[in-house]
Amino acid sequence: MSFRPVGEIVAACEAIFEDLSFAKAREWKDAVPGRKVIGYMPVYVPREIVHAAGMLPLGILGGGADMEVIHGDAFYQSYICRIPRSTIEMAINGKLDFVDGMMFPSICDVIRNLSGIWKLLFKDKYVRYFDAPQNFRAEVGGVFYANEMRELRDGLANLAGREVSDDDIRRSIAVYNENRRWVNKVYDFRAAFPWKAPSAEVYLLMRAGMVLPPEEHTLLMREYLAAAEAANRPMRDNCRVVLTGAFCEQPPLNLIKSLEMSGCYIVDDDFMLIARWLLEDVPTEGDPIGNLSQAFLLHSAETAAKYEPDVARKGSYLIDSVRKRKADGVIFAAPSFCDPALLDKPMIISRIEPLGIPYIHIQYAENSSQMQPIREQSGTFADSIKLWSAS
Amino acid sequence: MSGQEVVKSNSQMVQKEMITRNYDRITGGTAKVSSTFVPGNLNELLMCFDIANNLPEINAIQNAMRKKSGEMIAEAERSGHSEDVCTYVKCDIGMMAKGNIAPNGKPFPDPDVLLLSYTGCFTFMKWFELLREQYKCPTVMLHVPYAADGRPTKNMRDYIVKQLKEDVIPVLEKVSGVKFDIDRLREYLRKSAIAENDLVWMLESSKHKPSPVDCYFGGVYYMGPIFTAFRGTDEAIEYYRLLRAEIEQRIALGLCAQSPDGDMPEENYRLVVEGPPNWTSFRDFWRMFSEAGAVVVASSYTKVGGVYDYDGFRHDPDHPLETLADYCLGVYTNRNLPTRVDMLARNIVDYDADGLLINSIKSCNSFSAGQLVMMREIEKITGKPGAFIETDLVDPRYFSAANVKNRLESYFQMIDQKRRAGGSAAAGAGN
Ligand code: SF4
Ligand code: SF4
């Protein structure tokens, strides 16, 4: 297989990342009359069902570091995180005018209430607040969740003007299984050779997956992996960290670059957790909705938005990741004013501290511009880890 | 401000005794104790197991009114909690660190069960996960889905009922050693509905001019029994009967609502208020209204522990578990923004209010996220002016008296101007 050089692939991903008008998604929509695009916000929605309805699931992750927010501030008080205000700004500026519907997952009260704002302001759009169960028993939370997915399926079928069959969903499950496998391969590759797959690149590659159809994104990841493997890049004397807490509002790309430049290889993270939310392949035989429900209940990532019924397991997802990725430490990176991430942090710290896993905490907004203090903090962290492991 | 002690009415005395008795029961060492939240609290169900009901928000409010919350929050922040997060949580955690002393001066016992009724607020989940770390007691989650389309669905109701049957009730049986008796639950629910009828009568009494009650500052006291450990009891029925009689008398005498300093001499402005009050300067905050002759005729905060006046909900003894589900699904913060807008806009019209005031709480995303949009929508629907102030619940750092007072004064002037322009009569003209 011939592939483009790594720089070219990353440049293409960066162009997608920077384009807040979503030209790629518009192109997809315009290519065939009647196509529909459904936006979704973090942290998780079953994209398989949107895909099965013949629609493009489009990840909306805020306005990023450079977008000026003018109207958005009239919608939100200063003590609310930034992602809802920049998302509203994009909608008001027409950047989302081609989006036929929006899904708001049950991650926190801010996103929850944003679903209501959408209903009030964009009355002609399909709006779906999507509740996932906090009860993980098959006959209780599982039944509830499967019914919610059926409602979603029917709503989308109505919008699409056609039925969404079980076979459609099975095919989409297979597409996303494949996509997830490649996402995991990229993550595994980066953990094994972090100097060959810098985190900013991996980040951009995953961001492209929020906009492109999954089939195309899978091809892109394959191409990237081949190119990154072939590229000759110098290994640096960096420490290895897992970054956690950034599952919703995204940090500026510069922050990710700064961490690496200051001496920390990110070997795992929770950016765009949706791409890796399900930890195993979803079976493509049998009841597809039941299968998606089971996968959510039994094999999904742990994050602050999800209840952990077993107190002993709290934090185990992060600890497993530290072990599996052979990380030296943890960086808690939380958006300012983010109740889920910030309230979860003390509990997770109480789990990693006794294990002697070093950590630091940084707080950001998607438009944070001052990287110097963060570079200094993570640089000192990296130095102390190296010193500690050398002694 | 008058230094005079205002004479307490019968209903106030009764309520005070009820609260004292509940704290004595919680701290007495004999009853099993649960912690659970005000929105979606299942008091009738807990009573079926003889479990005492301790509500952490109420403890935070008590601490704020006694000026203790600031130090508790500081304590929680010193132990690693972010300045950015809900101060109810930090006040509770700080209180534990400072010996967990109840308002009656006795230490709170560790709860026997945390009943995590996840209704209308995401932070509840984190809050009880944090408490679970400390108490290591059984924790049972009741996940109440968000009524995002304005009404509960069958799927939501079935899910809650199943959780009650398969998770909540078995845990409460185990903790208490008492077998669940559905007829006992029916009996409590029947009593709830009786008290709820009088409660709604009270809420609607403010349609009178002048309003005999303030449904925000006064309202938080009136809601006390039904929102806490007394829904389903004879005491609550009695309290609301007494309250109703007192209000009937106030109406007959043409009295204005009460203020911290006695009856307001006149009623100049009628407001609908969205959002919880500030508790650290509660009385000063109240006086900023009452001294201007402003009465709150309806508020969303008096719906936070259950909505009874919007779509006629009453606890229904004939469908005991389903009614608990509907109750949880219907609390104010579990309703979507369009419903909240409709509720408040209708209040402005039905109670002939001059406009909407939003007290936006820094701590509370559940209430606050989206309030600016709500205000504009309500202004559009009603044609009445809105105003926006910002404070916090229990963090004294976020109550700026001068700012709040300025905003309120400008708002009252705006209402005056609107009246002059529209030629409408001042409030309080009597009807
Ligand atoms: S950043 Fe945090 S608080 Fe803000 S919307 Fe996302 S999860 Fe909610
Ligand atoms: S966020 Fe609001 S509703 Fe939730 S615990 Fe805090 S104050 Fe209460």
Side-chain angles (χ1 to χ4, degrees):
Chain A
M1 174 182 167
S2 77
F3 47 80
R4 293 173 286 176
V6 108
E8 221 174 281
I9 301 167
V10 173
C13 295
E14 190 154 13
I16 295 173
F17 166 71
E18 281 175 356
D19 173 22
L20 293 176
S21 293
F22 304 103
K24 282 276 176 196
R26 286 174 193 267
E27 271 168 30
W28 179 89
K29 179 170 171 160
D30 293 343
V32 178
R35 276 186 169 174
K36 300 243 174 343
V37 175
I38 301 292
Y40 62 86
M41 296 200 67
V43 64
Y44 174 76
V45 295
R47 290 182 293 184
E48 289 84 347
I49 295 178
V50 181
H51 184 266
M55 300 176 183
L56 177 71
L58 174 71
I60 310 280
L61 295 153
D66 301 324
M67 193 184 82
E68 206 184 344
V69 169
I70 299 162
H71 307 286
D73 285 338
F75 285 80
Y76 283 101
Q77 303 88 317
S78 56
Y79 45 77
I80 290 176
C81 57
R82 191 171 147 103
I83 182 170
R85 71 189 74 220
S86 62
T87 303
I88 279 281
E89 183 84 17
M90 290 198 290
I92 287 175
N93 287 342
K95 292 188 163 59
L96 304 177
D97 55 2
F98 70 107
V99 174
D100 302 280
M102 278 289 284
M103 291 180 68
F104 299 89
S106 52
I107 177 171
C108 77
D109 297 332
V110 175
I111 300 262
R112 183 196 76 175
N113 288 6
L114 186 58
S115 72
I117 293 185
W118 227 265
K119 276 180 188 278
L120 288 167
L121 298 186
F122 310 106
K123 294 196 168 72
D124 56 329
K125 300 278 182 178
Y126 173 83
V127 178
R128 173 95 192 162
Y129 173 78
F130 191 73
D131 227 334
Q134 301 287 2
N135 176 301
F136 302 99
R137 299 206 297 153
E139 68 284 11
V140 184
V143 170
F144 166 74
Y145 186 53
N147 285 335
E148 290 295 297
M149 280 192 280
R150 285 186 194 106
E151 247 185 54
L152 171 68
R153 176 199 61 194
D154 296 346
L156 294 175
N158 194 25
L159 193 64
R162 71 156 171 91
E163 203 195 324
V164 181
S165 71
D166 280 359
D167 275 339
D168 292 333
I169 304 176
R170 285 187 198 106
R171 270 192 295 275
S172 298
I173 287 176
V175 167
Y176 277 99
N177 279 346
E178 175 76 354
N179 183 262
R180 213 176 306 110
R181 268 181 236 134
W182 283 93
V183 169
N184 288 333
K185 280 186 194 180
V186 172
Y187 269 72
D188 289 347
F189 178 74
R190 176 181 65 171
F193 311 103
W195 61 95
K196 286 185 175 241
S199 283
E201 288 187 2
V202 171
Y203 181 78
L204 290 170
L205 186 63
M206 296 304 151
R207 281 295 292 252
M210 299 291 104
V211 179
L212 298 174
E215 301 85 345
E216 209 177 307
H217 181 233
T218 300
L219 290 177
L220 189 66
M221 288 189 289
R222 295 176 70 150
E223 193 187 8
Y224 173 81
L225 268 183
E229 264 167 15
N232 198 4
R233 288 167 147 177
M235 185 172 149
R236 295 165 68 164
D237 181 26
N238 279 6
C239 70
R240 301 164 62 86
V241 300
V242 174
L243 185 140
T244 186
F247 49 84
C248 181
E249 181 173 319
Q250 299 292 290
L253 186 62
N254 261 342
L255 190 148
I256 300 170
K257 289 182 180 162
S258 296
L259 293 179
E260 225 154 63
M261 270 157 43
S262 68
C264 298
Y265 279 136
I266 300 171
V267 292
D268 207 349
D269 60 61
D270 59 1
F271 305 134
M272 293 159 276
L273 207 47
I274 185 166
R276 302 187 301 137
W277 180 264
L278 301 180
L279 303 173
E280 294 182 6
D281 273 359
V282 182
T284 47
E285 305 293 318
D287 169 18
I289 288 198
N291 291 342
L292 282 169
S293 170
Q294 284 295 301
F296 181 93
L297 296 187
L298 303 175
H299 313 291
S300 59
E302 181 190 322
T303 186
K306 209 173 121 191
Y307 181 58
E308 173 50 73
D310 180 359
V311 68
R313 288 204 50 77
K314 184 87 197 164
S316 56
Y317 182 76
L318 178 68
I319 292 167
D320 289 348
S321 151
V322 168
R323 289 194 176 129
K324 179 175 163 207
R325 304 298 191 191
K326 299 189 173 48
D328 305 304
V330 170
I331 295 183
F332 288 96
S336 294
F337 305 111
C338 178
D339 262 25
L342 293 167
L343 285 165
D344 214 46
K345 189 190 66 164
M347 290 182 269
I348 307 291
I349 287 178
S350 76
R351 303 302 194 277
I352 64 169
E353 240 172 15
L355 301 175
I357 300 169
Y359 63 87
I360 52 168
H361 169 73
I362 55 179
Q363 217 161 300
Y364 66 83
E366 62 182 11
N367 65 336
S368 297
S369 55
Q370 289 296 328
M371 289 304 140
Q372 190 54 25
I374 288 176
R375 254 203 300 271
E376 276 168 21
Q377 198 189 352
S378 56
T380 312
F381 183 55
D383 290 344
S384 71
I385 285 177
K386 279 182 240 161
L387 260 176
W388 182 77
S389 56
S391 66
Chain B
M1 162 188 166
S2 103
Q4 244 176 301
E5 196 43 45
V6 178
V7 182
K8 284 201 160 49
S9 68
N10 274 346
S11 66
Q12 285 170 316
M13 301 292 286
V14 166
Q15 180 170 180
K16 201 164 176 242
E17 282 163 24
M18 286 160 76
I19 293 171
T20 306
R21 268 203 309 278
N22 192 46
Y23 275 121
D24 287 345
R25 180 159 179 245
I26 291 168
T27 55
T30 47
K32 297 279 183 188
V33 176
S34 78
S35 270
T36 196
F37 297 108
V38 170
N41 90 70
L42 301 175
N43 196 54
E44 300 89 342
L45 190 67
L46 290 167
M47 283 164 57
C48 290
F49 300 97
D50 302 320
I51 295 176
N53 185 352
N54 188 13
L55 299 134
E57 300 108 310
I58 304 296
N59 300 333
I61 293 171
Q62 295 270 358
N63 284 320
M65 292 179 100
R66 288 155 203 244
K67 310 273 182 220
K68 290 177 176 170
S69 56
E71 189 34 46
M72 291 170 173
I73 291 164
E75 181 75 39
E77 288 178 2
R78 276 195 293 275
S79 73
H81 285 274
S82 164
E83 199 184 313
D84 286 357
V85 300
C86 172
T87 51
Y88 266 176
V89 182
K90 286 185 286 184
C91 188
D92 198 28
I93 285 171
M95 179 174 86
M96 285 187 338
K98 288 183 158 294
N100 228 3
I101 303 300
N104 63 3
K106 296 179 191 158
F108 276 119
D110 286 359
D112 297 286
V113 60
L114 295 170
L115 174 51
L116 202 185
S117 172
Y118 176 86
T119 308
C121 168
F122 176 86
T123 300
F124 285 162
M125 182 167 95
K126 295 289 113 187
W127 188 346
F128 270 18
E129 277 188 342
L130 283 159
L131 293 197
R132 177 176 72 173
E133 305 272 304
Q134 194 83 13
Y135 293 127
K136 304 188 171 35
C137 64
T139 304
V140 58
M141 150 72 90
L142 176 68
H143 175 206
V144 176
Y146 183 55
D149 289 330
R151 65 200 174 281
T153 63
K154 181 175 178 306
N155 190 37
M156 295 174 182
R157 189 178 295 120
D158 291 350
Y159 176 43
I160 299 174
V161 169
K162 255 195 231 165
Q163 291 176 78
L164 290 172
K165 280 188 186 155
E166 295 181 27
D167 290 317
V168 177
I169 291 173
V171 169
L172 297 180
E173 279 183 331
K174 198 159 168 220
V175 165
S176 66
V178 176
K179 184 119 191 64
F180 177 58
D181 173 359
I182 201 153
D183 291 326
R184 195 172 162 191
L185 178 61
R186 283 183 215 277
E187 182 57 17
Y188 294 141
L189 293 168
R190 198 185 54 74
K191 291 181 183 176
S192 297
I194 296 171
E196 285 157 6
N197 283 334
D198 279 338
L199 170 95
V200 170
W201 184 90
M202 179 281 288
L203 288 171
E204 292 181 345
S205 71
S206 54
K207 287 182 182 166
H208 283 268
K209 289 184 180 176
S211 171
V213 288
D214 181 286
C215 277
Y216 187 52
F217 298 104
V220 298
Y221 291 101
Y222 307 141
M223 305 313 291
I226 211 101
F227 279 9
T228 61
F230 305 98
R231 210 182 54 227
T233 64
D234 289 322
E235 289 161 296
I237 294 177
E238 187 50 31
Y239 169 81
Y240 286 102
R241 257 197 213 127
L242 265 177
L243 180 65
R244 180 172 179 159
E246 283 168 13
I247 295 172
E248 275 167 348
Q249 201 182 2
R250 297 183 67 80
I251 294 170
L253 294 172
L255 294 178
C256 292
Q258 285 171 311
S259 76
D261 310 306
D263 296 331
M264 276 171 33
E266 56 181 358
E267 177 181 295
N268 298 326
Y269 307 101
R270 295 167 66 84
L271 305 178
V272 171
V273 173
E274 148 76 10
N278 162 273
W279 299 107
T280 51
S281 301
F282 184 78
R283 287 182 167 249
D284 294 341
F285 189 30
W286 188 353
R287 282 194 183 94
M288 290 179 198
F289 289 71
S290 60
E291 284 173 359
V295 64
V296 180
V297 289
S299 70
S300 54
Y301 193 63
T302 48
K303 322 287 157 71
V304 79
V307 172
Y308 299 98
D309 62 342
Y310 178 66
D311 34 24
F313 172 80
R314 299 286 182 277
H315 280 90
D316 174 4
D318 293 334
H319 303 95
L321 297 181
E322 293 75 9
T323 205
L324 290 178
D326 286 343
Y327 158 72
C328 290
L329 284 161
V331 301
Y332 181 72
T333 46
N334 204 53
R335 295 185 182 236
N336 71 1
L337 258 51
T339 308
R340 284 169 60 181
V341 164
D342 182 57
M343 216 184 264
L344 292 166
R346 279 210 228 166
N347 281 165
I348 289 174
V349 175
D350 296 348
Y351 290 72
D352 198 14
D354 296 297
L356 173 77
L357 175 80
I358 295 186
N359 182 32
S360 180
I361 293 293
K362 175 182 179 286
S363 271
C364 185
N365 287 340
S366 177
F367 261 105
S368 303
Q371 279 175 330
L372 285 158
V373 181
M374 286 174 64
M375 183 170 79
R376 287 196 288 272
E377 287 291 312
I378 292 165
E379 281 178 335
K380 231 179 356 191
I381 295 169
T382 62
K384 298 281 172 77
F388 205 83
I389 52 175
E390 296 183 343
T391 71
D392 191 52
L393 297 158
V394 292
D395 191 336
R397 291 172 295 187
Y398 298 104
F399 186 81
S400 162
N403 274 348
V404 173
K405 201 165 180 359
N406 271 340
R407 285 273 175 112
L408 285 176
E409 280 168 2
S410 321
Y411 183 45
F412 297 142
Q413 282 169 15
M414 197 201 311
I415 293 174
D416 289 338
Q417 272 169 15
K418 242 196 130 110
R419 274 186 193 151
R420 279 196 297 273
S424 71
N431 63 352

